[in-house]
């Protein structure tokens, strides 16, 4: 299958994007580094933790909207730091108010502060309410194919299974589950959380994911701007490899050159 990177795109909630790398805005040393790294990543979608990032709540602190103007990026406000459905729903309403009716949100409801694994019961509850209230919900969940399908059927615009625990940098721990989720989905599937380096991003894309969302992997690198550039290339390489269709894995060797018709 041939592919033109300029036309290869994915759509979510009626919006079309050519960059399959989504990036967070936290953990950078300052706003200048934030902007430089995101520019290097080529990302079109940036996610912000509404409970931790100033998008107009505090007039005395730098506003992220001035560093990353909404005219240049699609904002994906998220509910990071929420541990119950009620708080997550309230956070999405705050984001919609501060961003002038913006309905695209990333829902995450966490189970505890140590593992940061999703509380799928609370996630389902929050997703159902938000969808009924007109939000376009991209939802963070575990790598369970059954739960991913349930969230899709509920009406989520995209499902975002974790690769590994948030901020761990362990890469895709369960490739079979991610592949199963992708194969059974009718909405975009984006790996979210756990990526550590460019090869991890490439693996996620080779599994057929529509994109990858990351923050710590870039922001916590010794050179965040260079890592952002590496992640951009890893995403592109993984996507091209998926479209190309890899050779079958074999247990034993197979000669690159045929043995028939040898001259001696």
């Amino acid at each position: 299958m041939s592919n033109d990177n300029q036309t290869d795109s994915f759509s979510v909630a009626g919006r079309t994007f050519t960059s399959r790398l989504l990036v967070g805005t936290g953990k950078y040393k300052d706003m200048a580094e934030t902007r430089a790294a995101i520019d290097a990543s080529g990302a079109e979608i940036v996610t912000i933790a509404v409970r931790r990032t100033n998008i107009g709540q505090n007039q005395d602190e730098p506003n992220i909207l001035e560093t990353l103007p909404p005219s240049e990026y699609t904002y994906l406000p998220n509910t990071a730091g929420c541990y119950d459905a009620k708080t997550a729903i309230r956070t999405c309403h705050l984001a919609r108010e501060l961003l002038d009716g913006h309905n695209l949100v990333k829902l995450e409801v966490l189970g505890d502060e140590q593992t940061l694994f999703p509380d799928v019961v609370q996630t389902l509850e929050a997703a159902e309410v938000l969808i009924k209230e007109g939000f376009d919900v991209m939802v963070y969940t575990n790598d369970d194919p059954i739960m991913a399908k349930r969230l899709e059927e509920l009406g989520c615009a995209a499902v975002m299974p974790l690769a590994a625990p948030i901020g761990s940098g362990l890469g895709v721990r369960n490739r079979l589950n991610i592949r199963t989720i992708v194969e059974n989905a009718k909405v975009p599937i984006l790996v979210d959380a756990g990526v550590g380096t460019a090869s991890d991003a490439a693996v996620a894309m080779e599994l057929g994911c529509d994109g990858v969302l990351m923050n710590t992997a870039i922001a916590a690198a010794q050179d965040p701007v260079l890592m952002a550039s590496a992640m951009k290339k890893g995403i592109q390489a993984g996507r091209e490899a998926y479209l190309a269709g890899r050779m079958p894995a074999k247990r034993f060797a197979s000669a690159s050159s045929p043995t028939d018709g040898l001259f001696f």
Side-chain angles (χ1 to χ4, degrees), residues 26-248:
K27 302 184 179 181
Y28 293 97
K29 68 180 181 182
D30 53 35
M31 289 292 187
E33 184 179 77
T34 302
R35 176 66 195 235
I38 291 175
D39 281 346
S41 76
E44 298 169 288
I45 301 176
V46 294
T47 184
I48 51 171
V50 179
R51 304 187 74 198
R52 300 170 180 159
T53 307
N54 182 32
I55 56 174
Q57 308 98 308
N58 190 335
Q59 300 300 318
D60 298 324
E61 295 182 2
N63 189 330
I64 191 72
L65 302 180
E66 297 175 358
T67 300
L68 303 169
S71 59
E72 299 179 27
Y73 300 93
T74 294
Y75 269 75
L76 182 62
N78 69 59
T79 61
C82 294
Y83 292 87
D84 59 78
K86 183 178 180 180
T87 305
I89 293 167
R90 184 168 63 246
T91 301
C92 288
H93 278 279
L94 175 61
R96 182 155 67 179
E97 180 178 345
L98 291 170
L99 295 173
D100 299 323
H102 186 83
N103 285 326
L104 184 65
V105 296
K106 177 196 165 188
L107 172 65
E108 57 180 85
V109 186
L110 305 177
D112 61 66
E113 295 183 6
Q114 180 179 10
T115 68
L116 299 181
F117 280 129
D119 182 328
V120 294
V121 175
Q122 292 290 303
T123 298
L124 282 167
E125 181 180 331
E128 185 172 10
V129 172
L130 290 169
I131 290 166
K132 288 180 179 178
E133 292 181 345
F135 285 93
D136 297 315
V137 178
M138 300 175 67
V139 60
Y140 167 68
T141 185
N142 56 25
D143 59 2
D144 177 2
I146 304 303
M147 183 55 60
K149 196 63 180 178
R150 178 76 181 275
L151 288 163
E152 176 188 328
E153 292 171 347
L154 197 62
C156 291
V159 177
M160 308 175 75
L162 56 80
I166 291 173
S168 67
L170 292 172
V172 182
R173 307 311 297 168
N174 197 330
R175 300 185 186 188
L176 292 177
N177 276 18
I178 297 296
R179 183 184 294 276
T180 299
I181 291 171
V182 168
E183 290 175 346
N184 291 321
K186 296 180 181 178
V187 298
I189 302 297
L190 301 96
V191 155
D192 178 13
V195 169
T197 190
S199 58
D200 299 331
V203 166
M205 298 306 298
E206 289 171 2
L207 292 171
C209 291
D210 294 281
V212 180
L213 189 152
M214 65 183 74
N215 187 176
T216 306
I218 295 176
Q222 294 182 26
D223 186 334
V225 177
L226 186 59
M227 182 60 80
S229 176
M231 290 297 188
K232 176 181 179 179
K233 297 180 180 75
I235 292 285
Q236 292 173 341
R239 176 63 179 172
E240 289 182 8
Y242 171 73
L243 293 173
R246 64 155 292 156
M247 62 169 283

